[in-house]
């Protein structure tokens, strides 16, 4: 890689971090949906250990913390997100039992059998659904739960434009029955599955994103990288509005029973 490319690449990376730092969440979801998923988890006490993998700035982690007891570790690759996460935890008075740490979901700093619950909204795709399910299982206690959201196809067939988009972005996207089979094969009992309602995308993700897009265009006026980045964000939103019958995010809650 030439130095010139490296500079552009690093700028992209910092830019994307800065962009998403301005948002409460970095993916589709909502407090209502987080609590709905939590409703299927029945084993939590003051002694519980919870990990939120790919926690971002901790939107969903703080919701979880306010409705559970026990200790929660949020883990994310990006230090800027973790700084914001820990600031949010302090602001809410949760700092004694909610801690953000920098780390990677493919090399977790937990003991085998340590965790009662693994949470991960809109993030398992970073290492892949099957790989995450398989590799994370050892960190759970028997009787522990995993709750993740993942993009899913709603039909067996779909228009070529949206099919191509996803094959390029994340070819592991699959139909819900196939994803449930993967949960079963990875050694969990599938406990619940539900589709995230549209407002998790529109109201809780795209609307705040548009506000940051406008702010960015203003702040970085004339910057081609920023303009291209913002164009891609709008394109993603357009595709969702056009093809939301065919795909969406799904919450999967599963239990390690042996
Ligand atoms: N759970 C948050 C953030 C989802 S966005 C929410 O729902 O709002 C996906 C997150 O995964 C980002 O914060 C990104 O920094 C993080 N991430 C990407 N690769 C990662 C890795 N290898 N390990 C840990 N986190 C990672």
């Amino acid at each position: 890689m030439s130095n010139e490319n490296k500079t552009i690449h690093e700028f992209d990376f910092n830019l994307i971090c800065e962009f998403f730092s301005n948002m409460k969440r970095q993916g589709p979801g909502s407090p209502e949906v987080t609590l709905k998923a939590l409703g299927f988890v029945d084993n939590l006490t003051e002694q519980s250990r919870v990990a939120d993998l790919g926690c971002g700035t901790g939107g969903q982690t703080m919701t979880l913390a306010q409705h559970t007891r026990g200790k929660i570790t949020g883990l994310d690759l990006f230090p800027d997100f973790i700084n914001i996460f820990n600031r949010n935890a302090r602001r809410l008075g949760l700092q004694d039992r909610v801690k953000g740490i920098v780390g990677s979901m493919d090399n977790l700093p937990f003991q085998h059998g340590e965790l009662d619950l693994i949470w991960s909204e809109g993030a398992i795709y970073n290492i892949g659904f099957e790989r995450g399910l398989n590799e994370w299982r050892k960190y759970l206690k028997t009787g522990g739960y995993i709750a993740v959201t993942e993009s899913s196809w709603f039909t067996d067939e779909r228009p070529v434009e949206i099919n191509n988009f996803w094959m390029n972005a994340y070819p592991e996207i699959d139909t819900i029955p196939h994803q449930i089979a993967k949960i079963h094969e990875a050694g969990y009992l599938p406990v619940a599955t539900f589709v995230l309602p549209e407002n998790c995308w529109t109201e809780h993700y795209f609307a705040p994103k548009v506000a940051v897009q406008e702010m960015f265009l203003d702040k970085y006026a004339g910057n081609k990288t920023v303009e291209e980045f913002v164009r891609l964000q709008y394109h993603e939103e357009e595709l969702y509005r056009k093809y939301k019958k065919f795909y969406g995010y799904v919450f999967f809650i599963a239990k390690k029973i042996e």
Side-chain angles (χ1 to χ4, degrees), residues 24-28 52-57 59-60 75-78 81 103-106 120-123 125-127:
K24 221 182 192 165
R25 331 190 22 116
Q26 289 71 45
D52 184 357
L53 307 180
C55 58
T57 58
Q60 73 293 322
L75 177 138
D76 202 279
L77 199 55
F78 296 151
F81 290 170
S104 185
M105 56 176 76
D106 59 8
S120 186
E121 292 193 37
Y125 73 88
N126 286 296
I127 58 166

Side-chain angles (χ1 to χ4, degrees), residues 11 15 18 215-224 226-227:
F11 177 67
L15 184 82
E18 184 192 341
M215 185 271 278
F216 246 53
L217 284 179
D218 204 40
K219 179 172 175 187
Y220 293 105
N223 182 311
K224 290 280 171 278
V226 170
E227 284 169 4

Side-chain angles (χ1 to χ4, degrees), residues 7 14 34 36-37 50 53 63 70 86 103 108 119 141 145 180 197:
T7 309
N14 291 334
T34 296
K36 181 170 174 170
V50 179
L53 307 180
T63 303
N86 284 322
L108 295 176
W119 205 268
K141 287 179 188 151
Y145 284 81
I180 293 175

